[in-house]
Every structure is written in structure tokens, then in C-alpha cells.
Short mmCIF file of all heavy atoms in Angstrom, two decimals:
data_model
loop_
_atom_site.label_atom_id
_atom_site.label_comp_id
_atom_site.label_asym_id
_atom_site.label_seq_id
_atom_site.Cartn_x
_atom_site.Cartn_y
_atom_site.Cartn_z
N MET A 1 0.84 -1.19 0.00
CA MET A 1 0.00 0.00 0.00
C MET A 1 0.88 1.24 0.00
O MET A 1 1.92 1.27 0.62
CB MET A 1 -0.88 0.04 1.25
CG MET A 1 -2.14 -0.77 1.15
SD MET A 1 -3.25 -0.38 2.49
CE MET A 1 -3.25 -1.96 3.29
N ASN A 2 0.38 2.24 -0.66
CA ASN A 2 1.12 3.50 -0.63
C ASN A 2 0.60 4.38 0.49
O ASN A 2 -0.37 4.05 1.16
CB ASN A 2 1.07 4.21 -2.00
CG ASN A 2 -0.35 4.58 -2.39
OD1 ASN A 2 -1.18 4.82 -1.54
ND2 ASN A 2 -0.60 4.63 -3.69
N THR A 3 1.22 5.47 0.71
CA THR A 3 0.85 6.34 1.83
C THR A 3 -0.54 6.94 1.66
O THR A 3 -1.23 7.19 2.65
CB THR A 3 1.87 7.46 2.00
OG1 THR A 3 1.95 8.21 0.78
CG2 THR A 3 3.22 6.92 2.37
N GLU A 4 -0.97 7.16 0.43
CA GLU A 4 -2.32 7.70 0.20
C GLU A 4 -3.38 6.69 0.63
O GLU A 4 -4.36 7.05 1.27
CB GLU A 4 -2.48 8.05 -1.28
CG GLU A 4 -3.73 8.85 -1.57
CD GLU A 4 -3.78 9.31 -3.01
OE1 GLU A 4 -2.83 9.98 -3.46
OE2 GLU A 4 -4.79 8.98 -3.66
N GLU A 5 -3.15 5.42 0.30
CA GLU A 5 -4.08 4.37 0.72
C GLU A 5 -4.06 4.19 2.23
O GLU A 5 -5.10 3.97 2.86
CB GLU A 5 -3.75 3.06 0.02
CG GLU A 5 -4.13 3.05 -1.45
CD GLU A 5 -3.80 1.72 -2.11
OE1 GLU A 5 -3.77 0.69 -1.41
OE2 GLU A 5 -3.59 1.72 -3.33
N ASP A 6 -2.89 4.28 2.82
CA ASP A 6 -2.78 4.18 4.28
C ASP A 6 -3.56 5.30 4.97
O ASP A 6 -4.27 5.06 5.95
CB ASP A 6 -1.30 4.25 4.71
CG ASP A 6 -0.52 3.02 4.31
OD1 ASP A 6 -1.15 1.97 4.04
OD2 ASP A 6 0.72 3.11 4.26
N GLU A 7 -3.42 6.50 4.43
CA GLU A 7 -4.13 7.64 5.02
C GLU A 7 -5.64 7.46 4.86
O GLU A 7 -6.41 7.74 5.77
CB GLU A 7 -3.66 8.94 4.35
CG GLU A 7 -4.28 10.19 4.90
CD GLU A 7 -3.90 10.49 6.36
OE1 GLU A 7 -3.01 9.82 6.92
OE2 GLU A 7 -4.51 11.39 6.94
N PHE A 8 -6.08 6.98 3.71
CA PHE A 8 -7.50 6.73 3.50
C PHE A 8 -8.02 5.71 4.50
O PHE A 8 -9.07 5.90 5.11
CB PHE A 8 -7.75 6.24 2.06
CG PHE A 8 -9.19 5.87 1.83
CD1 PHE A 8 -10.14 6.85 1.59
CD2 PHE A 8 -9.60 4.54 1.86
CE1 PHE A 8 -11.47 6.51 1.39
CE2 PHE A 8 -10.92 4.20 1.66
CZ PHE A 8 -11.86 5.19 1.42
N ARG A 9 -7.31 4.62 4.70
CA ARG A 9 -7.73 3.57 5.66
C ARG A 9 -7.76 4.14 7.09
O ARG A 9 -8.65 3.81 7.86
CB ARG A 9 -6.77 2.38 5.60
CG ARG A 9 -6.71 1.71 4.27
CD ARG A 9 -7.85 0.74 4.11
NE ARG A 9 -7.70 0.06 2.84
CZ ARG A 9 -8.68 -0.10 1.97
NH1 ARG A 9 -9.89 0.33 2.24
NH2 ARG A 9 -8.47 -0.72 0.84
N ARG A 10 -6.80 4.98 7.42
CA ARG A 10 -6.77 5.58 8.75
C ARG A 10 -7.99 6.48 8.96
O ARG A 10 -8.66 6.40 9.99
CB ARG A 10 -5.49 6.39 8.95
CG ARG A 10 -5.31 6.94 10.37
CD ARG A 10 -4.18 7.93 10.46
NE ARG A 10 -4.46 9.18 9.76
CZ ARG A 10 -5.32 10.12 10.17
NH1 ARG A 10 -6.00 9.97 11.29
NH2 ARG A 10 -5.50 11.23 9.48
N ILE A 11 -8.29 7.30 7.96
CA ILE A 11 -9.44 8.20 8.06
C ILE A 11 -10.74 7.39 8.11
O ILE A 11 -11.65 7.68 8.90
CB ILE A 11 -9.46 9.19 6.88
CG1 ILE A 11 -8.29 10.17 7.02
CG2 ILE A 11 -10.79 9.96 6.82
CD1 ILE A 11 -8.06 11.04 5.79
N GLU A 12 -10.84 6.35 7.30
CA GLU A 12 -12.02 5.50 7.30
C GLU A 12 -12.23 4.83 8.66
O GLU A 12 -13.34 4.81 9.19
CB GLU A 12 -11.89 4.43 6.21
CG GLU A 12 -13.09 3.52 6.11
CD GLU A 12 -12.90 2.46 5.03
OE1 GLU A 12 -11.78 1.91 4.90
OE2 GLU A 12 -13.89 2.18 4.35
N ALA A 13 -11.14 4.31 9.24
CA ALA A 13 -11.23 3.65 10.55
C ALA A 13 -11.64 4.65 11.63
O ALA A 13 -12.47 4.34 12.50
CB ALA A 13 -9.90 3.01 10.90
N GLU A 14 -11.11 5.86 11.57
CA GLU A 14 -11.46 6.89 12.55
C GLU A 14 -12.93 7.30 12.41
O GLU A 14 -13.63 7.47 13.40
CB GLU A 14 -10.54 8.10 12.39
CG GLU A 14 -10.81 9.23 13.35
CD GLU A 14 -10.53 8.90 14.81
OE1 GLU A 14 -9.92 7.84 15.10
OE2 GLU A 14 -10.93 9.69 15.67
N ALA A 15 -13.40 7.43 11.17
CA ALA A 15 -14.80 7.79 10.95
C ALA A 15 -15.72 6.70 11.47
O ALA A 15 -16.74 6.99 12.11
CB ALA A 15 -15.04 8.03 9.46
N LEU A 16 -15.38 5.45 11.25
CA LEU A 16 -16.19 4.34 11.76
C LEU A 16 -16.19 4.31 13.28
O LEU A 16 -17.21 4.06 13.91
CB LEU A 16 -15.70 3.01 11.20
CG LEU A 16 -15.99 2.77 9.72
CD1 LEU A 16 -15.28 1.51 9.23
CD2 LEU A 16 -17.48 2.67 9.48
N ARG A 17 -15.04 4.58 13.88
CA ARG A 17 -14.94 4.62 15.34
C ARG A 17 -15.82 5.73 15.92
O ARG A 17 -16.56 5.52 16.88
CB ARG A 17 -13.49 4.82 15.77
CG ARG A 17 -13.29 4.76 17.29
CD ARG A 17 -11.89 5.19 17.69
NE ARG A 17 -11.66 6.60 17.46
CZ ARG A 17 -12.12 7.58 18.24
NH1 ARG A 17 -12.88 7.32 19.27
NH2 ARG A 17 -11.84 8.85 17.96
N LEU A 18 -15.76 6.91 15.29
CA LEU A 18 -16.56 8.04 15.76
C LEU A 18 -18.05 7.77 15.58
O LEU A 18 -18.87 8.09 16.44
CB LEU A 18 -16.17 9.32 15.03
CG LEU A 18 -14.79 9.88 15.38
CD1 LEU A 18 -14.43 11.02 14.45
CD2 LEU A 18 -14.74 10.32 16.83
N TRP A 19 -18.43 7.17 14.47
CA TRP A 19 -19.83 6.85 14.22
C TRP A 19 -20.34 5.84 15.25
O TRP A 19 -21.41 5.99 15.81
CB TRP A 19 -20.00 6.29 12.81
CG TRP A 19 -21.41 5.91 12.52
CD1 TRP A 19 -22.44 6.73 12.19
CD2 TRP A 19 -21.97 4.60 12.58
NE1 TRP A 19 -23.60 6.03 12.03
CE2 TRP A 19 -23.34 4.71 12.26
CE3 TRP A 19 -21.45 3.34 12.86
CZ2 TRP A 19 -24.18 3.60 12.23
CZ3 TRP A 19 -22.29 2.25 12.82
CH2 TRP A 19 -23.63 2.38 12.51
N ALA A 20 -19.53 4.81 15.54
CA ALA A 20 -19.93 3.80 16.52
C ALA A 20 -20.07 4.42 17.91
O ALA A 20 -21.00 4.11 18.65
CB ALA A 20 -18.91 2.66 16.55
N ALA A 21 -19.17 5.31 18.27
CA ALA A 21 -19.24 5.97 19.58
C ALA A 21 -20.49 6.84 19.67
O ALA A 21 -21.13 6.90 20.71
CB ALA A 21 -18.00 6.80 19.82
N GLN A 22 -20.85 7.47 18.58
CA GLN A 22 -22.03 8.34 18.58
C GLN A 22 -23.31 7.54 18.71
O GLN A 22 -24.22 7.92 19.42
CB GLN A 22 -22.06 9.15 17.29
CG GLN A 22 -23.19 10.14 17.23
CD GLN A 22 -23.18 10.90 15.92
OE1 GLN A 22 -22.62 10.47 14.93
NE2 GLN A 22 -23.82 12.06 15.93
N THR A 23 -23.39 6.39 18.06
CA THR A 23 -24.62 5.60 18.11
C THR A 23 -24.73 4.82 19.42
O THR A 23 -25.82 4.50 19.84
CB THR A 23 -24.70 4.62 16.92
OG1 THR A 23 -23.55 3.79 16.91
CG2 THR A 23 -24.82 5.37 15.61
N ASP A 24 -23.62 4.52 20.08
CA ASP A 24 -23.67 3.77 21.33
C ASP A 24 -24.11 4.63 22.51
O ASP A 24 -24.78 4.16 23.40
CB ASP A 24 -22.30 3.15 21.64
CG ASP A 24 -21.96 2.00 20.72
OD1 ASP A 24 -22.89 1.49 20.05
OD2 ASP A 24 -20.78 1.63 20.65
N ASP A 25 -23.74 5.88 22.52
CA ASP A 25 -24.03 6.78 23.64
C ASP A 25 -25.13 7.75 23.25
O ASP A 25 -24.89 8.92 22.99
CB ASP A 25 -22.78 7.55 24.06
CG ASP A 25 -21.70 6.64 24.60
OD1 ASP A 25 -22.06 5.60 25.15
OD2 ASP A 25 -20.51 6.98 24.46
N ASP A 26 -26.36 7.28 23.22
CA ASP A 26 -27.48 8.13 22.86
C ASP A 26 -28.07 8.74 24.12
O ASP A 26 -28.95 8.18 24.75
CB ASP A 26 -28.54 7.32 22.10
CG ASP A 26 -29.67 8.20 21.59
OD1 ASP A 26 -29.53 9.43 21.65
OD2 ASP A 26 -30.67 7.64 21.12
N ASP A 27 -27.56 9.93 24.48
CA ASP A 27 -28.03 10.60 25.69
C ASP A 27 -29.30 11.40 25.47
O ASP A 27 -29.89 11.92 26.40
CB ASP A 27 -26.94 11.55 26.22
CG ASP A 27 -25.75 10.78 26.74
OD1 ASP A 27 -25.91 9.58 27.02
OD2 ASP A 27 -24.67 11.37 26.86
N ASP A 28 -29.74 11.51 24.21
CA ASP A 28 -30.91 12.33 23.91
C ASP A 28 -32.22 11.58 24.08
O ASP A 28 -33.27 12.13 23.82
CB ASP A 28 -30.82 12.87 22.49
CG ASP A 28 -29.78 13.96 22.36
OD1 ASP A 28 -29.33 14.46 23.40
OD2 ASP A 28 -29.43 14.32 21.23
N THR A 29 -32.17 10.33 24.49
CA THR A 29 -33.39 9.56 24.64
C THR A 29 -34.22 10.16 25.77
O THR A 29 -33.75 10.36 26.88
CB THR A 29 -33.07 8.09 24.97
OG1 THR A 29 -32.27 7.57 23.92
CG2 THR A 29 -34.34 7.28 25.10
N GLN A 30 -35.47 10.48 25.45
CA GLN A 30 -36.36 11.06 26.44
C GLN A 30 -37.61 10.20 26.54
O GLN A 30 -38.07 9.65 25.55
CB GLN A 30 -36.76 12.48 26.05
CG GLN A 30 -35.57 13.42 26.00
CD GLN A 30 -35.98 14.80 25.53
OE1 GLN A 30 -37.13 15.06 25.26
NE2 GLN A 30 -35.01 15.68 25.44
N VAL A 31 -38.12 10.11 27.72
CA VAL A 31 -39.36 9.36 27.94
C VAL A 31 -40.48 10.37 28.08
O VAL A 31 -40.42 11.26 28.93
CB VAL A 31 -39.26 8.48 29.20
CG1 VAL A 31 -40.56 7.78 29.46
CG2 VAL A 31 -38.11 7.50 29.05
N TYR A 32 -41.46 10.24 27.23
CA TYR A 32 -42.60 11.13 27.29
C TYR A 32 -43.76 10.41 27.96
O TYR A 32 -44.12 9.31 27.57
CB TYR A 32 -43.01 11.57 25.88
CG TYR A 32 -41.95 12.40 25.23
CD1 TYR A 32 -41.07 11.85 24.32
CD2 TYR A 32 -41.82 13.75 25.53
CE1 TYR A 32 -40.08 12.62 23.72
CE2 TYR A 32 -40.84 14.52 24.95
CZ TYR A 32 -39.97 13.94 24.04
OH TYR A 32 -39.00 14.71 23.47
N ALA A 33 -44.31 11.02 28.96
CA ALA A 33 -45.44 10.43 29.69
C ALA A 33 -46.65 11.33 29.52
O ALA A 33 -46.55 12.55 29.63
CB ALA A 33 -45.10 10.28 31.16
N ARG A 34 -47.76 10.70 29.25
CA ARG A 34 -49.00 11.46 29.17
C ARG A 34 -49.48 11.76 30.58
O ARG A 34 -49.35 10.94 31.48
CB ARG A 34 -50.06 10.65 28.43
CG ARG A 34 -49.72 10.46 26.97
CD ARG A 34 -50.70 9.57 26.28
NE ARG A 34 -52.06 10.06 26.46
CZ ARG A 34 -53.13 9.40 26.07
NH1 ARG A 34 -53.02 8.22 25.51
NH2 ARG A 34 -54.33 9.91 26.25
N PRO A 35 -50.06 12.93 30.78
CA PRO A 35 -50.57 13.24 32.12
C PRO A 35 -51.78 12.37 32.44
O PRO A 35 -52.53 11.97 31.54
CB PRO A 35 -50.97 14.71 32.02
CG PRO A 35 -51.18 14.96 30.56
CD PRO A 35 -50.27 14.02 29.85
N TRP A 36 -51.93 12.06 33.71
CA TRP A 36 -53.05 11.24 34.14
C TRP A 36 -54.34 12.04 34.01
O TRP A 36 -54.42 13.20 34.42
CB TRP A 36 -52.87 10.79 35.59
CG TRP A 36 -54.05 10.01 36.07
CD1 TRP A 36 -55.07 10.48 36.84
CD2 TRP A 36 -54.35 8.66 35.78
NE1 TRP A 36 -55.98 9.48 37.06
CE2 TRP A 36 -55.56 8.34 36.41
CE3 TRP A 36 -53.71 7.67 35.04
CZ2 TRP A 36 -56.14 7.09 36.33
CZ3 TRP A 36 -54.29 6.42 34.96
CH2 TRP A 36 -55.49 6.14 35.61
N ILE A 37 -55.34 11.42 33.42
CA ILE A 37 -56.66 12.04 33.31
C ILE A 37 -57.63 11.12 34.04
O ILE A 37 -57.87 10.00 33.61
CB ILE A 37 -57.09 12.21 31.84
CG1 ILE A 37 -56.09 13.11 31.11
CG2 ILE A 37 -58.49 12.79 31.76
CD1 ILE A 37 -56.32 13.20 29.63
N GLY A 38 -58.12 11.59 35.15
CA GLY A 38 -59.01 10.78 35.96
C GLY A 38 -60.45 10.81 35.46
O GLY A 38 -60.79 11.51 34.51
N LEU A 39 -61.28 10.04 36.12
CA LEU A 39 -62.70 9.98 35.78
C LEU A 39 -63.41 11.22 36.32
O LEU A 39 -63.07 11.74 37.38
CB LEU A 39 -63.34 8.73 36.38
CG LEU A 39 -62.84 7.39 35.84
CD1 LEU A 39 -63.43 6.25 36.66
CD2 LEU A 39 -63.18 7.23 34.37
N THR A 40 -64.39 11.65 35.58
CA THR A 40 -65.25 12.74 36.05
C THR A 40 -66.61 12.15 36.40
O THR A 40 -66.90 10.99 36.06
CB THR A 40 -65.42 13.82 34.96
OG1 THR A 40 -66.13 13.24 33.86
CG2 THR A 40 -64.08 14.35 34.49
N TRP A 41 -67.44 12.95 37.03
CA TRP A 41 -68.79 12.46 37.36
C TRP A 41 -69.57 12.18 36.08
O TRP A 41 -70.41 11.29 36.04
CB TRP A 41 -69.52 13.47 38.24
CG TRP A 41 -68.96 13.50 39.63
CD1 TRP A 41 -68.27 14.51 40.21
CD2 TRP A 41 -69.03 12.46 40.61
NE1 TRP A 41 -67.89 14.17 41.48
CE2 TRP A 41 -68.35 12.91 41.75
CE3 TRP A 41 -69.59 11.19 40.63
CZ2 TRP A 41 -68.23 12.14 42.90
CZ3 TRP A 41 -69.46 10.43 41.79
CH2 TRP A 41 -68.79 10.91 42.90
N GLU A 42 -69.26 12.91 35.02
CA GLU A 42 -69.94 12.68 33.75
C GLU A 42 -69.56 11.34 33.12
O GLU A 42 -70.29 10.79 32.30
CB GLU A 42 -69.62 13.81 32.76
CG GLU A 42 -70.27 15.13 33.10
CD GLU A 42 -69.53 15.88 34.20
OE1 GLU A 42 -68.30 15.72 34.33
OE2 GLU A 42 -70.19 16.62 34.95
N ASP A 43 -68.41 10.80 33.51
CA ASP A 43 -67.97 9.49 33.00
C ASP A 43 -68.74 8.33 33.63
O ASP A 43 -68.75 7.23 33.09
CB ASP A 43 -66.48 9.28 33.26
CG ASP A 43 -65.61 10.24 32.47
OD1 ASP A 43 -65.99 10.60 31.34
OD2 ASP A 43 -64.54 10.62 32.98
N MET A 44 -69.36 8.58 34.77
CA MET A 44 -70.08 7.53 35.47
C MET A 44 -71.45 7.30 34.83
O MET A 44 -72.15 8.27 34.51
CB MET A 44 -70.28 7.90 36.95
CG MET A 44 -69.00 8.17 37.71
SD MET A 44 -68.01 6.70 37.87
CE MET A 44 -66.63 7.34 38.76
N PRO A 45 -71.84 6.05 34.65
CA PRO A 45 -73.17 5.77 34.08
C PRO A 45 -74.28 6.30 34.99
O PRO A 45 -74.21 6.18 36.21
CB PRO A 45 -73.23 4.24 34.01
CG PRO A 45 -71.82 3.78 34.16
CD PRO A 45 -71.09 4.84 34.92
N GLU A 46 -75.27 6.89 34.38
CA GLU A 46 -76.37 7.49 35.16
C GLU A 46 -77.11 6.48 36.02
O GLU A 46 -77.55 6.80 37.12
CB GLU A 46 -77.37 8.17 34.22
CG GLU A 46 -76.86 9.47 33.65
CD GLU A 46 -77.91 10.17 32.81
OE1 GLU A 46 -79.12 10.03 33.11
OE2 GLU A 46 -77.52 10.86 31.87
N GLU A 47 -77.24 5.24 35.54
CA GLU A 47 -77.98 4.24 36.31
C GLU A 47 -77.30 3.88 37.62
O GLU A 47 -77.91 3.30 38.51
CB GLU A 47 -78.27 2.98 35.47
CG GLU A 47 -77.04 2.27 34.95
CD GLU A 47 -76.61 2.71 33.56
OE1 GLU A 47 -76.99 3.80 33.11
OE2 GLU A 47 -75.87 1.96 32.94
N TYR A 48 -76.01 4.23 37.76
CA TYR A 48 -75.29 3.94 39.01
C TYR A 48 -75.04 5.20 39.84
O TYR A 48 -74.28 5.18 40.79
CB TYR A 48 -73.95 3.27 38.71
CG TYR A 48 -74.11 1.91 38.08
CD1 TYR A 48 -73.80 1.71 36.73
CD2 TYR A 48 -74.56 0.83 38.81
CE1 TYR A 48 -73.94 0.46 36.15
CE2 TYR A 48 -74.71 -0.42 38.24
CZ TYR A 48 -74.40 -0.59 36.90
OH TYR A 48 -74.54 -1.83 36.33
N ALA A 49 -75.67 6.31 39.48
CA ALA A 49 -75.42 7.59 40.14
C ALA A 49 -75.64 7.53 41.65
O ALA A 49 -74.91 8.14 42.41
CB ALA A 49 -76.30 8.68 39.52
N GLY A 50 -76.63 6.78 42.11
CA GLY A 50 -76.90 6.72 43.54
C GLY A 50 -76.30 5.51 44.23
O GLY A 50 -76.48 5.33 45.43
N ASP A 51 -75.57 4.68 43.51
CA ASP A 51 -75.02 3.45 44.07
C ASP A 51 -73.61 3.72 44.62
O ASP A 51 -72.63 3.78 43.88
CB ASP A 51 -74.97 2.38 42.98
CG ASP A 51 -74.55 1.01 43.52
OD1 ASP A 51 -74.04 0.95 44.65
OD2 ASP A 51 -74.72 0.02 42.78
N SER A 52 -73.53 3.90 45.92
CA SER A 52 -72.23 4.24 46.53
C SER A 52 -71.22 3.11 46.39
O SER A 52 -70.02 3.37 46.31
CB SER A 52 -72.42 4.63 48.00
OG SER A 52 -72.93 3.54 48.74
N ASN A 53 -71.70 1.86 46.37
CA ASN A 53 -70.76 0.75 46.18
C ASN A 53 -70.11 0.80 44.80
O ASN A 53 -68.91 0.59 44.65
CB ASN A 53 -71.47 -0.60 46.36
CG ASN A 53 -71.83 -0.86 47.79
OD1 ASN A 53 -71.15 -0.42 48.71
ND2 ASN A 53 -72.93 -1.57 48.01
N PHE A 54 -70.91 1.09 43.77
CA PHE A 54 -70.36 1.19 42.42
C PHE A 54 -69.36 2.34 42.33
O PHE A 54 -68.26 2.19 41.81
CB PHE A 54 -71.47 1.40 41.38
CG PHE A 54 -70.93 1.65 40.01
CD1 PHE A 54 -70.55 0.58 39.20
CD2 PHE A 54 -70.77 2.94 39.52
CE1 PHE A 54 -70.03 0.80 37.94
CE2 PHE A 54 -70.24 3.17 38.26
CZ PHE A 54 -69.87 2.10 37.47
N LEU A 55 -69.74 3.49 42.87
CA LEU A 55 -68.86 4.65 42.82
C LEU A 55 -67.57 4.42 43.59
O LEU A 55 -66.49 4.81 43.14
CB LEU A 55 -69.59 5.90 43.33
CG LEU A 55 -70.81 6.32 42.50
CD1 LEU A 55 -71.53 7.49 43.16
CD2 LEU A 55 -70.41 6.67 41.08
N SER A 56 -67.66 3.76 44.73
CA SER A 56 -66.46 3.43 45.50
C SER A 56 -65.56 2.48 44.71
O SER A 56 -64.33 2.64 44.68
CB SER A 56 -66.82 2.78 46.83
OG SER A 56 -67.50 3.68 47.65
N GLY A 57 -66.17 1.51 44.05
CA GLY A 57 -65.40 0.57 43.24
C GLY A 57 -64.74 1.26 42.06
O GLY A 57 -63.58 0.96 41.71
N ALA A 58 -65.45 2.19 41.43
CA ALA A 58 -64.88 2.93 40.31
C ALA A 58 -63.69 3.78 40.76
O ALA A 58 -62.66 3.82 40.09
CB ALA A 58 -65.95 3.81 39.66
N ARG A 59 -63.82 4.42 41.89
CA ARG A 59 -62.71 5.24 42.43
C ARG A 59 -61.53 4.35 42.83
O ARG A 59 -60.38 4.72 42.64
CB ARG A 59 -63.18 6.09 43.61
CG ARG A 59 -64.15 7.16 43.22
CD ARG A 59 -63.50 8.17 42.31
NE ARG A 59 -64.47 9.17 41.91
CZ ARG A 59 -64.38 9.90 40.83
NH1 ARG A 59 -63.36 9.75 40.01
NH2 ARG A 59 -65.30 10.78 40.52
N TRP A 60 -61.82 3.17 43.39
CA TRP A 60 -60.76 2.24 43.74
C TRP A 60 -60.00 1.81 42.48
O TRP A 60 -58.77 1.82 42.46
CB TRP A 60 -61.33 1.01 44.45
CG TRP A 60 -60.28 -0.04 44.67
CD1 TRP A 60 -59.43 -0.13 45.72
CD2 TRP A 60 -59.96 -1.13 43.79
NE1 TRP A 60 -58.60 -1.21 45.57
CE2 TRP A 60 -58.89 -1.84 44.38
CE3 TRP A 60 -60.46 -1.56 42.58
CZ2 TRP A 60 -58.32 -2.95 43.79
CZ3 TRP A 60 -59.88 -2.68 41.97
CH2 TRP A 60 -58.83 -3.37 42.58
N ALA A 61 -60.75 1.44 41.43
CA ALA A 61 -60.13 1.01 40.18
C ALA A 61 -59.30 2.13 39.57
O ALA A 61 -58.19 1.90 39.08
CB ALA A 61 -61.20 0.53 39.20
N GLU A 62 -59.81 3.34 39.61
CA GLU A 62 -59.08 4.49 39.07
C GLU A 62 -57.76 4.69 39.83
O GLU A 62 -56.70 4.89 39.21
CB GLU A 62 -59.94 5.74 39.18
CG GLU A 62 -59.26 6.99 38.67
CD GLU A 62 -60.09 8.24 38.88
OE1 GLU A 62 -60.75 8.35 39.94
OE2 GLU A 62 -60.08 9.08 37.98
N ALA A 63 -57.80 4.61 41.15
CA ALA A 63 -56.58 4.78 41.95
C ALA A 63 -55.56 3.68 41.66
O ALA A 63 -54.36 3.94 41.56
CB ALA A 63 -56.94 4.80 43.44
N ARG A 64 -56.05 2.46 41.50
CA ARG A 64 -55.15 1.32 41.22
C ARG A 64 -54.48 1.50 39.86
O ARG A 64 -53.29 1.26 39.71
CB ARG A 64 -55.95 0.02 41.26
CG ARG A 64 -55.13 -1.21 41.14
CD ARG A 64 -54.35 -1.45 42.44
NE ARG A 64 -53.70 -2.73 42.31
CZ ARG A 64 -52.39 -2.89 42.36
NH1 ARG A 64 -51.62 -1.86 42.60
NH2 ARG A 64 -51.86 -4.06 42.23
N LEU A 65 -55.24 1.90 38.85
CA LEU A 65 -54.68 2.14 37.52
C LEU A 65 -53.67 3.28 37.54
O LEU A 65 -52.63 3.23 36.88
CB LEU A 65 -55.78 2.43 36.52
CG LEU A 65 -56.65 1.23 36.13
CD1 LEU A 65 -57.85 1.69 35.34
CD2 LEU A 65 -55.83 0.23 35.34
N LYS A 66 -53.96 4.31 38.31
CA LYS A 66 -53.05 5.44 38.40
C LYS A 66 -51.72 5.00 39.01
O LYS A 66 -50.65 5.38 38.54
CB LYS A 66 -53.68 6.56 39.25
CG LYS A 66 -52.89 7.84 39.24
CD LYS A 66 -53.65 8.94 39.95
CE LYS A 66 -52.89 10.23 39.89
NZ LYS A 66 -53.60 11.32 40.56
N GLU A 67 -51.77 4.16 40.05
CA GLU A 67 -50.55 3.62 40.65
C GLU A 67 -49.73 2.86 39.62
O GLU A 67 -48.51 3.05 39.53
CB GLU A 67 -50.89 2.64 41.78
CG GLU A 67 -51.32 3.25 43.07
CD GLU A 67 -51.72 2.17 44.07
OE1 GLU A 67 -51.36 0.99 43.89
OE2 GLU A 67 -52.41 2.52 45.05
N ARG A 68 -50.36 2.00 38.88
CA ARG A 68 -49.65 1.17 37.90
C ARG A 68 -49.07 1.98 36.77
O ARG A 68 -48.04 1.62 36.22
CB ARG A 68 -50.59 0.11 37.34
CG ARG A 68 -50.89 -0.97 38.30
CD ARG A 68 -51.70 -2.04 37.65
NE ARG A 68 -51.85 -3.16 38.54
CZ ARG A 68 -52.22 -4.34 38.16
NH1 ARG A 68 -52.52 -4.56 36.90
NH2 ARG A 68 -52.33 -5.32 39.02
N ASN A 69 -49.72 3.05 36.37
CA ASN A 69 -49.26 3.84 35.25
C ASN A 69 -48.20 4.87 35.60
O ASN A 69 -47.59 5.44 34.72
CB ASN A 69 -50.45 4.50 34.54
CG ASN A 69 -51.22 3.51 33.73
OD1 ASN A 69 -50.72 2.99 32.75
ND2 ASN A 69 -52.43 3.21 34.15
N HIS A 70 -47.99 5.12 36.87
CA HIS A 70 -46.99 6.10 37.28
C HIS A 70 -45.69 5.45 37.75
O HIS A 70 -44.77 6.14 38.13
CB HIS A 70 -47.53 7.03 38.37
CG HIS A 70 -48.38 8.10 37.80
ND1 HIS A 70 -47.90 9.09 36.99
CD2 HIS A 70 -49.71 8.33 37.88
CE1 HIS A 70 -48.88 9.89 36.62
NE2 HIS A 70 -50.00 9.43 37.15
N ASP A 71 -45.60 4.15 37.74
CA ASP A 71 -44.37 3.48 38.16
C ASP A 71 -43.49 3.19 36.98
O ASP A 71 -43.77 3.25 35.87
CB ASP A 71 -44.69 2.17 38.90
CG ASP A 71 -45.30 2.46 40.27
OD1 ASP A 71 -45.10 3.56 40.79
OD2 ASP A 71 -45.99 1.56 40.78
#
């Protein structure tokens, strides 16, 4: 090999090394989380409006889902 080919191989190897280092250390990764949107009174079925057991169960389920989605 002549010196021009040697220099080309050196530059190629350095470019590959830099590219590999750039793709391995991806610090820009961000996790996007949607804000929690809870149930409103309008979300509750009208036929259960006076049923405190149903409403308690709905609130319990909402709280449990919120716990699971925030971990």
C-alpha cells in the first residue's frame, strides 16, 4: 500500500470509530409520559349515580390504575 491508501484507511477507521461511539451513547433519549386524566362524574353511568358501592369501586379502580401507570 502506498501512503495515500494508508491515510484513506486511517481516516475510514477513525470515521467508523466516531460513528460507533455516537450511536452507542445516545443521551438524547427522552421518555414522554401522558398526564393522568381521571374519571369525572360525567364518565359515570347514570344508572349507578346513587349506588355508593359502584362509585367506590370505580374510584378504587381508578386509583389502582393510576398507581400502575406512574411506576
Side-chain angles (χ1 to χ4, degrees):
M1 277 192 245
N2 62 29
T3 58
E4 191 174 304
E5 287 181 26
D6 290 340
E7 182 66 8
F8 176 79
R9 299 278 184 227
R10 186 190 68 73
I11 292 170
E12 181 181 40
E14 180 66 10
L16 288 172
R17 184 190 68 77
L18 290 172
W19 179 79
Q22 183 181 22
T23 57
D24 289 344
D25 296 330
D26 185 10
D27 292 341
D28 287 346
T29 302
Q30 297 176 2
V31 177
Y32 295 99
R34 293 175 54 187
W36 177 260
I37 300 172
L39 295 172
T40 65
W41 288 111
E42 289 79 30
D43 294 326
M44 302 293 179
E46 286 185 31
E47 59 268 20
Y48 295 108
D51 187 346
S52 63
N53 289 329
F54 175 83
L55 297 175
S56 294
R59 292 295 178 203
W60 173 87
E62 179 184 38
R64 187 74 174 119
L65 288 170
K66 188 174 183 179
E67 283 176 17
R68 287 185 173 197
N69 285 293
H70 280 293
D71 290 338

